[in-house]
Amino acid sequence: MRRVYNRSMGTMNLTDHFLIAMPNMVDPNFSRTLTYVCEHNEQGALGLVVNRPIDMTLAALLAQVDIPHTEPTLQKMPIHFGGPVQLDRGFVLHQPVGEWQSTLAVDGRIGLTTSRDVLVAVGNGQGPDRLIVTLGYAGWAPGQLENELAQNAWLTVQAQPEVIFDMPCEERLSAAMQLLGIDFASLSEQAGHA
């Protein structure tokens, strides 16, 4: 478990890490979720849940926002619940980072784009090679994520793009646990009991 910790500032930076919800997570928005942290600094944290597909495809989303598409694979690509904040807004997590109108380059390898131009490019087959699209995001106020970590709400591990982009959504949580060498089924439902 590698966390970037700045001793001089007394802060941790979990950008480009997975948050693995512990079995005792009571918030239904995050129960049994794997969240990718896109940004974590003194202003708080922003992440996307990457293992909770909703009943909508990318083709349906593009049709709703009047973006034509020619790619047949978009008919099967699920949209994900990214978190409980701004559920009406789309977020595209992708590789490579590329050059879009509004992109946060997470680590030089992964981009988070909120501008329409990336969806137009996806619709005509010229978008990023690897992507997932979410509605909503997860956000934490300054110190909130650190407090949740202190309460053992999450496990953390350095993120691996393959888990996000190459695995079926239902396998992502257990794959992230395996990065820690832990089987999710072996975790107890009650905190403090192994």
Side-chain angles (χ1 to χ4, degrees):
M1 203 167 13
R2 192 194 80 153
R3 291 185 191 156
V4 180
Y5 186 78
N6 183 331
R7 288 189 195 280
S8 64
M9 293 178 58
T11 59
M12 82 174 52
N13 182 349
L14 293 174
T15 300
D16 193 38
H17 280 68
F18 287 135
L19 298 177
I20 301 164
M22 291 294 285
N24 61 344
M25 175 67 73
V26 293
D27 185 337
N29 290 308
F30 297 105
S31 177
R32 300 191 57 82
T33 60
L34 178 64
T35 302
Y36 176 69
V37 180
C38 302
E39 185 172 49
H40 184 207
N41 56 37
E42 62 278 350
Q43 280 98 42
L46 177 146
L48 296 177
V49 174
V50 295
N51 70 325
R52 191 171 280 174
I54 62 174
D55 192 22
M56 178 185 279
T57 65
L58 185 50
L61 177 68
L62 293 177
Q64 278 187 5
V65 295
D66 296 322
I67 295 175
H69 62 87
T70 57
E71 291 293 309
T73 57
L74 304 183
Q75 297 292 345
K76 294 180 182 173
M77 185 178 288
I79 300 298
H80 289 74
F81 166 79
V85 182
Q86 292 188 345
L87 288 169
D88 59 340
R89 188 164 178 196
F91 298 82
V92 182
L93 195 62
H94 56 85
Q95 262 191 328
V97 175
E99 294 186 19
W100 310 102
Q101 290 174 5
S102 181
T103 299
L104 169 68
V106 177
D107 65 350
R109 300 178 302 163
I110 296 177
L112 172 63
T113 299
T114 57
S115 52
R116 182 180 172 93
D117 60 335
V118 73
L119 291 176
V120 171
V122 167
N124 63 32
Q126 298 175 354
D129 296 334
R130 303 161 90 189
L131 64 106
I132 73 164
V133 179
T134 73
L135 291 177
Y137 72 92
W140 291 266
Q144 184 181 1
L145 181 55
E146 291 83 349
N147 185 48
E148 291 178 12
L149 288 164
Q151 294 175 10
N152 294 319
W154 306 97
L155 291 175
T156 64
V157 66
Q158 180 70 42
Q160 298 296 320
E162 301 76 34
V163 173
I164 300 169
F165 299 114
D166 298 340
M167 301 191 126
C169 356
E170 65 275 6
E171 294 176 17
R172 292 176 187 157
L173 180 62
S174 60
M177 292 292 290
Q178 289 172 3
L179 293 173
L180 288 170
I182 300 172
D183 177 12
F184 193 80
S186 70
L187 290 177
S188 170
E189 290 289 330
Q190 297 180 4
H193 297 85

